[in-house]
Short mmCIF file of all heavy atoms in Angstrom, two decimals:
data_model
loop_
_atom_site.label_atom_id
_atom_site.label_comp_id
_atom_site.label_asym_id
_atom_site.label_seq_id
_atom_site.Cartn_x
_atom_site.Cartn_y
_atom_site.Cartn_z
N MET A 275 -22.62 -0.75 -26.50
CA MET A 275 -22.49 -2.01 -27.23
C MET A 275 -23.86 -2.60 -27.60
O MET A 275 -24.05 -3.11 -28.70
CB MET A 275 -21.73 -3.04 -26.38
CG MET A 275 -20.27 -2.70 -26.12
SD MET A 275 -19.29 -2.66 -27.63
CE MET A 275 -17.65 -2.85 -26.94
N GLY A 280 -22.85 0.09 -30.88
CA GLY A 280 -21.39 0.10 -30.67
C GLY A 280 -20.75 1.45 -30.96
O GLY A 280 -19.52 1.56 -30.96
N TYR A 374 -27.43 -12.57 -20.88
CA TYR A 374 -27.22 -11.46 -21.82
C TYR A 374 -28.39 -10.48 -21.75
O TYR A 374 -28.19 -9.25 -21.70
CB TYR A 374 -27.06 -11.98 -23.25
CG TYR A 374 -26.95 -10.89 -24.28
CD1 TYR A 374 -25.72 -10.34 -24.61
CD2 TYR A 374 -28.10 -10.37 -24.90
CE1 TYR A 374 -25.63 -9.31 -25.54
CE2 TYR A 374 -28.01 -9.35 -25.83
CZ TYR A 374 -26.77 -8.82 -26.15
OH TYR A 374 -26.69 -7.81 -27.06
N TYR A 454 -22.07 -15.04 -24.76
CA TYR A 454 -22.23 -14.22 -25.96
C TYR A 454 -22.33 -15.09 -27.22
O TYR A 454 -23.11 -14.79 -28.12
CB TYR A 454 -21.07 -13.23 -26.09
CG TYR A 454 -20.93 -12.27 -24.93
CD1 TYR A 454 -19.69 -11.73 -24.58
CD2 TYR A 454 -22.04 -11.91 -24.16
CE1 TYR A 454 -19.57 -10.85 -23.51
CE2 TYR A 454 -21.92 -11.04 -23.08
CZ TYR A 454 -20.67 -10.52 -22.76
OH TYR A 454 -20.54 -9.66 -21.69
N SER A 455 -21.57 -16.17 -27.26
CA SER A 455 -21.66 -17.10 -28.40
C SER A 455 -23.04 -17.76 -28.46
O SER A 455 -23.65 -17.87 -29.52
CB SER A 455 -20.58 -18.17 -28.30
OG SER A 455 -19.34 -17.67 -28.72
N LYS A 457 -25.83 -16.64 -27.17
CA LYS A 457 -26.83 -15.62 -27.50
C LYS A 457 -26.87 -15.39 -29.02
O LYS A 457 -27.95 -15.33 -29.62
CB LYS A 457 -26.52 -14.31 -26.77
CG LYS A 457 -27.44 -13.15 -27.14
CD LYS A 457 -28.90 -13.40 -26.76
CE LYS A 457 -29.78 -12.21 -27.14
NZ LYS A 457 -31.20 -12.45 -26.82
N GLN A 458 -25.68 -15.29 -29.63
CA GLN A 458 -25.65 -15.09 -31.08
C GLN A 458 -26.25 -16.30 -31.81
O GLN A 458 -26.99 -16.14 -32.79
CB GLN A 458 -24.21 -14.85 -31.56
CG GLN A 458 -24.15 -14.29 -32.97
CD GLN A 458 -22.73 -14.16 -33.50
OE1 GLN A 458 -22.10 -15.15 -33.87
NE2 GLN A 458 -22.23 -12.94 -33.52
N TYR A 459 -25.98 -17.49 -31.30
CA TYR A 459 -26.54 -18.72 -31.88
C TYR A 459 -28.07 -18.72 -31.76
O TYR A 459 -28.78 -19.06 -32.70
CB TYR A 459 -25.94 -19.94 -31.20
CG TYR A 459 -26.50 -21.25 -31.71
CD1 TYR A 459 -26.04 -21.80 -32.90
CD2 TYR A 459 -27.50 -21.92 -31.00
CE1 TYR A 459 -26.55 -23.00 -33.38
CE2 TYR A 459 -28.03 -23.11 -31.47
CZ TYR A 459 -27.55 -23.65 -32.66
OH TYR A 459 -28.07 -24.83 -33.13
N ASN A 462 -29.40 -16.01 -34.31
CA ASN A 462 -29.17 -16.18 -35.75
C ASN A 462 -29.20 -17.62 -36.25
O ASN A 462 -29.13 -17.86 -37.45
CB ASN A 462 -27.82 -15.55 -36.15
CG ASN A 462 -27.72 -14.09 -35.72
OD1 ASN A 462 -28.73 -13.39 -35.69
ND2 ASN A 462 -26.52 -13.65 -35.40
N ILE A 465 -23.22 -19.40 -35.33
CA ILE A 465 -22.23 -18.51 -34.71
C ILE A 465 -21.28 -18.04 -35.80
O ILE A 465 -20.73 -18.87 -36.55
CB ILE A 465 -21.46 -19.22 -33.58
CG1 ILE A 465 -22.43 -19.76 -32.51
CG2 ILE A 465 -20.46 -18.28 -32.92
CD1 ILE A 465 -21.78 -20.62 -31.44
N SER A 466 -21.06 -16.75 -35.92
CA SER A 466 -20.17 -16.21 -36.95
C SER A 466 -18.73 -16.64 -36.68
O SER A 466 -18.34 -16.91 -35.53
CB SER A 466 -20.26 -14.68 -36.97
OG SER A 466 -19.77 -14.14 -35.75
N ASP A 467 -17.92 -16.68 -37.76
CA ASP A 467 -16.52 -17.08 -37.57
C ASP A 467 -15.77 -16.06 -36.70
O ASP A 467 -14.86 -16.41 -35.95
CB ASP A 467 -15.81 -17.30 -38.91
CG ASP A 467 -15.88 -16.12 -39.86
OD1 ASP A 467 -16.42 -15.07 -39.48
OD2 ASP A 467 -15.39 -16.26 -41.02
N SER A 468 -16.18 -14.78 -36.77
CA SER A 468 -15.55 -13.76 -35.92
C SER A 468 -15.79 -14.04 -34.44
O SER A 468 -14.88 -13.95 -33.61
CB SER A 468 -16.06 -12.37 -36.28
OG SER A 468 -17.47 -12.32 -36.27
N MET A 469 -17.04 -14.42 -34.11
CA MET A 469 -17.38 -14.76 -32.72
C MET A 469 -16.65 -16.03 -32.29
O MET A 469 -16.17 -16.13 -31.15
CB MET A 469 -18.89 -14.91 -32.56
CG MET A 469 -19.33 -15.26 -31.14
SD MET A 469 -19.01 -13.94 -29.95
CE MET A 469 -20.59 -13.12 -29.91
N LEU A 470 -16.56 -17.01 -33.17
CA LEU A 470 -15.84 -18.26 -32.84
C LEU A 470 -14.38 -17.99 -32.51
O LEU A 470 -13.84 -18.53 -31.54
CB LEU A 470 -15.94 -19.25 -34.01
CG LEU A 470 -17.28 -19.98 -34.17
CD1 LEU A 470 -17.30 -20.76 -35.48
CD2 LEU A 470 -17.55 -20.92 -32.98
N VAL A 471 -13.73 -17.15 -33.32
CA VAL A 471 -12.31 -16.82 -33.07
C VAL A 471 -12.17 -16.07 -31.75
O VAL A 471 -11.31 -16.40 -30.92
CB VAL A 471 -11.73 -15.99 -34.24
CG1 VAL A 471 -10.34 -15.46 -33.89
CG2 VAL A 471 -11.65 -16.83 -35.51
N ASN A 472 -13.03 -15.07 -31.54
CA ASN A 472 -12.99 -14.30 -30.29
C ASN A 472 -13.19 -15.19 -29.07
O ASN A 472 -12.41 -15.15 -28.11
CB ASN A 472 -14.08 -13.21 -30.35
CG ASN A 472 -14.32 -12.55 -29.00
OD1 ASN A 472 -15.17 -12.97 -28.22
ND2 ASN A 472 -13.55 -11.52 -28.71
N THR A 473 -14.24 -16.03 -29.11
CA THR A 473 -14.55 -16.89 -27.97
C THR A 473 -13.46 -17.93 -27.75
O THR A 473 -13.04 -18.16 -26.61
CB THR A 473 -15.91 -17.60 -28.18
OG1 THR A 473 -16.91 -16.61 -28.44
CG2 THR A 473 -16.31 -18.40 -26.95
N MET A 476 -10.36 -16.23 -26.18
CA MET A 476 -10.62 -15.87 -24.78
C MET A 476 -10.61 -17.11 -23.89
O MET A 476 -10.01 -17.11 -22.81
CB MET A 476 -11.95 -15.14 -24.66
CG MET A 476 -11.91 -13.69 -25.08
SD MET A 476 -13.47 -12.87 -24.64
CE MET A 476 -13.06 -11.17 -25.01
N THR A 518 -14.58 -8.65 -21.30
CA THR A 518 -15.40 -9.45 -22.22
C THR A 518 -16.02 -8.60 -23.33
O THR A 518 -16.71 -9.13 -24.20
CB THR A 518 -16.55 -10.15 -21.46
OG1 THR A 518 -17.47 -9.15 -20.98
CG2 THR A 518 -16.05 -10.97 -20.28
N SER A 519 -15.79 -7.28 -23.31
CA SER A 519 -16.53 -6.37 -24.18
C SER A 519 -16.36 -6.62 -25.69
O SER A 519 -17.31 -6.38 -26.44
CB SER A 519 -16.20 -4.91 -23.84
OG SER A 519 -14.82 -4.65 -23.96
N PRO A 520 -15.20 -7.09 -26.18
CA PRO A 520 -15.15 -7.39 -27.63
C PRO A 520 -16.19 -8.43 -28.05
O PRO A 520 -16.81 -8.31 -29.11
CB PRO A 520 -13.72 -7.91 -27.84
CG PRO A 520 -12.93 -7.29 -26.73
CD PRO A 520 -13.86 -7.26 -25.57
N GLY A 521 -16.41 -9.45 -27.20
CA GLY A 521 -17.42 -10.47 -27.48
C GLY A 521 -18.83 -9.91 -27.39
O GLY A 521 -19.71 -10.26 -28.19
N LEU A 522 -19.04 -8.99 -26.44
CA LEU A 522 -20.34 -8.34 -26.29
C LEU A 522 -20.69 -7.56 -27.55
O LEU A 522 -21.83 -7.59 -28.03
CB LEU A 522 -20.32 -7.40 -25.07
CG LEU A 522 -21.57 -6.59 -24.78
CD1 LEU A 522 -22.77 -7.49 -24.52
CD2 LEU A 522 -21.35 -5.65 -23.59
N TYR A 523 -19.71 -6.89 -28.12
CA TYR A 523 -19.92 -6.14 -29.37
C TYR A 523 -20.31 -7.08 -30.52
O TYR A 523 -21.20 -6.79 -31.31
CB TYR A 523 -18.64 -5.37 -29.72
CG TYR A 523 -18.68 -4.71 -31.08
CD1 TYR A 523 -19.30 -3.48 -31.27
CD2 TYR A 523 -18.09 -5.32 -32.20
CE1 TYR A 523 -19.34 -2.86 -32.52
CE2 TYR A 523 -18.12 -4.72 -33.45
CZ TYR A 523 -18.74 -3.49 -33.60
OH TYR A 523 -18.78 -2.90 -34.85
N LEU A 524 -19.64 -8.23 -30.59
CA LEU A 524 -19.85 -9.14 -31.72
C LEU A 524 -21.23 -9.81 -31.71
O LEU A 524 -21.69 -10.28 -32.75
CB LEU A 524 -18.76 -10.22 -31.73
CG LEU A 524 -17.38 -9.76 -32.21
CD1 LEU A 524 -16.32 -10.81 -31.91
CD2 LEU A 524 -17.40 -9.45 -33.71
N VAL A 525 -21.90 -9.86 -30.56
CA VAL A 525 -23.24 -10.47 -30.50
C VAL A 525 -24.15 -9.86 -31.56
O VAL A 525 -24.80 -10.57 -32.34
CB VAL A 525 -23.88 -10.30 -29.09
CG1 VAL A 525 -25.32 -10.78 -29.10
CG2 VAL A 525 -23.09 -11.09 -28.05
N ASN A 526 -24.18 -8.53 -31.61
CA ASN A 526 -25.07 -7.83 -32.56
C ASN A 526 -24.35 -7.33 -33.81
O ASN A 526 -24.97 -6.71 -34.66
CB ASN A 526 -25.73 -6.63 -31.86
CG ASN A 526 -26.64 -7.06 -30.74
OD1 ASN A 526 -27.33 -8.06 -30.85
ND2 ASN A 526 -26.62 -6.32 -29.64
N HIS A 527 -23.04 -7.60 -33.89
CA HIS A 527 -22.26 -7.14 -35.04
C HIS A 527 -21.42 -8.29 -35.59
O HIS A 527 -20.19 -8.22 -35.63
CB HIS A 527 -21.35 -5.97 -34.65
CG HIS A 527 -22.09 -4.80 -34.09
ND1 HIS A 527 -22.45 -4.71 -32.76
CD2 HIS A 527 -22.57 -3.67 -34.68
CE1 HIS A 527 -23.10 -3.58 -32.56
NE2 HIS A 527 -23.18 -2.93 -33.71
N PRO A 528 -22.08 -9.38 -36.01
CA PRO A 528 -21.30 -10.51 -36.52
C PRO A 528 -20.55 -10.12 -37.80
O PRO A 528 -21.10 -9.48 -38.68
CB PRO A 528 -22.37 -11.58 -36.82
CG PRO A 528 -23.65 -10.82 -36.94
CD PRO A 528 -23.53 -9.61 -36.09
N VAL A 529 -19.28 -10.48 -37.82
CA VAL A 529 -18.44 -10.18 -38.99
C VAL A 529 -18.07 -11.49 -39.67
O VAL A 529 -17.70 -12.46 -38.99
CB VAL A 529 -17.14 -9.44 -38.55
CG1 VAL A 529 -16.21 -9.22 -39.74
CG2 VAL A 529 -17.48 -8.12 -37.87
N HIS A 530 -18.19 -11.54 -40.99
CA HIS A 530 -17.73 -12.73 -41.73
C HIS A 530 -16.29 -12.51 -42.16
O HIS A 530 -16.01 -11.70 -43.03
CB HIS A 530 -18.62 -13.00 -42.94
CG HIS A 530 -18.16 -14.19 -43.75
ND1 HIS A 530 -18.21 -15.48 -43.24
CD2 HIS A 530 -17.60 -14.27 -44.99
CE1 HIS A 530 -17.70 -16.31 -44.16
NE2 HIS A 530 -17.33 -15.60 -45.21
N LEU A 531 -15.38 -13.23 -41.51
CA LEU A 531 -13.96 -13.06 -41.80
C LEU A 531 -13.51 -13.88 -43.01
O LEU A 531 -12.62 -13.47 -43.75
CB LEU A 531 -13.12 -13.47 -40.58
CG LEU A 531 -13.32 -12.68 -39.29
CD1 LEU A 531 -12.58 -13.36 -38.15
CD2 LEU A 531 -12.84 -11.24 -39.45
N PHE A 616 -5.54 -9.57 -30.80
CA PHE A 616 -5.98 -10.58 -31.77
C PHE A 616 -7.38 -11.09 -31.47
O PHE A 616 -8.13 -11.41 -32.40
CB PHE A 616 -4.97 -11.73 -31.86
CG PHE A 616 -3.73 -11.36 -32.63
CD1 PHE A 616 -2.48 -11.41 -32.04
CD2 PHE A 616 -3.82 -10.94 -33.95
CE1 PHE A 616 -1.34 -11.04 -32.75
CE2 PHE A 616 -2.69 -10.58 -34.66
CZ PHE A 616 -1.45 -10.62 -34.06
N TRP A 617 -7.79 -11.17 -30.19
CA TRP A 617 -9.17 -11.63 -29.96
C TRP A 617 -10.18 -10.49 -30.13
O TRP A 617 -11.37 -10.72 -30.19
CB TRP A 617 -9.36 -12.38 -28.65
CG TRP A 617 -9.25 -11.63 -27.36
CD1 TRP A 617 -9.97 -10.57 -26.93
CD2 TRP A 617 -8.37 -11.97 -26.28
NE1 TRP A 617 -9.60 -10.21 -25.67
CE2 TRP A 617 -8.62 -11.06 -25.23
CE3 TRP A 617 -7.41 -12.97 -26.07
CZ2 TRP A 617 -7.93 -11.10 -24.02
CZ3 TRP A 617 -6.73 -13.00 -24.87
CH2 TRP A 617 -6.99 -12.07 -23.86
N THR A 618 -9.68 -9.26 -30.23
CA THR A 618 -10.56 -8.12 -30.54
C THR A 618 -10.66 -7.90 -32.05
O THR A 618 -11.70 -7.48 -32.55
CB THR A 618 -10.05 -6.83 -29.86
OG1 THR A 618 -9.89 -7.09 -28.46
CG2 THR A 618 -11.03 -5.68 -30.05
N SER A 619 -9.58 -8.18 -32.77
CA SER A 619 -9.52 -7.86 -34.21
C SER A 619 -10.61 -8.53 -35.07
O SER A 619 -10.93 -7.99 -36.13
CB SER A 619 -8.14 -8.19 -34.77
OG SER A 619 -7.84 -9.56 -34.63
N PRO A 620 -11.24 -9.66 -34.67
CA PRO A 620 -12.36 -10.16 -35.47
C PRO A 620 -13.51 -9.15 -35.61
O PRO A 620 -14.32 -9.25 -36.53
CB PRO A 620 -12.83 -11.40 -34.71
CG PRO A 620 -11.59 -11.90 -34.03
CD PRO A 620 -10.84 -10.65 -33.63
N ALA A 621 -13.57 -8.16 -34.71
CA ALA A 621 -14.59 -7.10 -34.82
C ALA A 621 -14.26 -6.12 -35.95
O ALA A 621 -15.09 -5.27 -36.29
CB ALA A 621 -14.70 -6.35 -33.50
N LEU A 622 -13.05 -6.25 -36.51
CA LEU A 622 -12.55 -5.33 -37.52
C LEU A 622 -12.57 -3.89 -36.99
O LEU A 622 -12.40 -3.69 -35.77
CB LEU A 622 -13.31 -5.50 -38.83
CG LEU A 622 -13.17 -6.91 -39.47
CD1 LEU A 622 -13.86 -6.96 -40.81
CD2 LEU A 622 -11.70 -7.34 -39.59
N PRO A 628 -14.72 -1.54 -29.24
CA PRO A 628 -14.25 -2.89 -28.91
C PRO A 628 -12.77 -2.93 -28.52
O PRO A 628 -12.33 -3.84 -27.81
CB PRO A 628 -14.49 -3.68 -30.20
CG PRO A 628 -15.60 -2.95 -30.88
CD PRO A 628 -15.38 -1.50 -30.55
#
Side-chain angles (χ1 to χ4, degrees):
M275 293 296 200
Y374 175 89
Y454 300 152
S455 282
K457 175 63 180 179
Q458 195 185 76
Y459 179 80
N462 305 328
I465 303 173
S466 65
D467 55 4
S468 52
M469 180 65 96
L470 284 171
V471 171
N472 168 268
T473 305
M476 282 189 172
T518 67
S519 58
L522 177 60
Y523 173 82
L524 285 168
V525 173
N526 295 322
H527 302 85
V529 176
H530 178 67
L531 298 172
F616 285 120
W617 69 59
T618 306
S619 61
L622 298 184

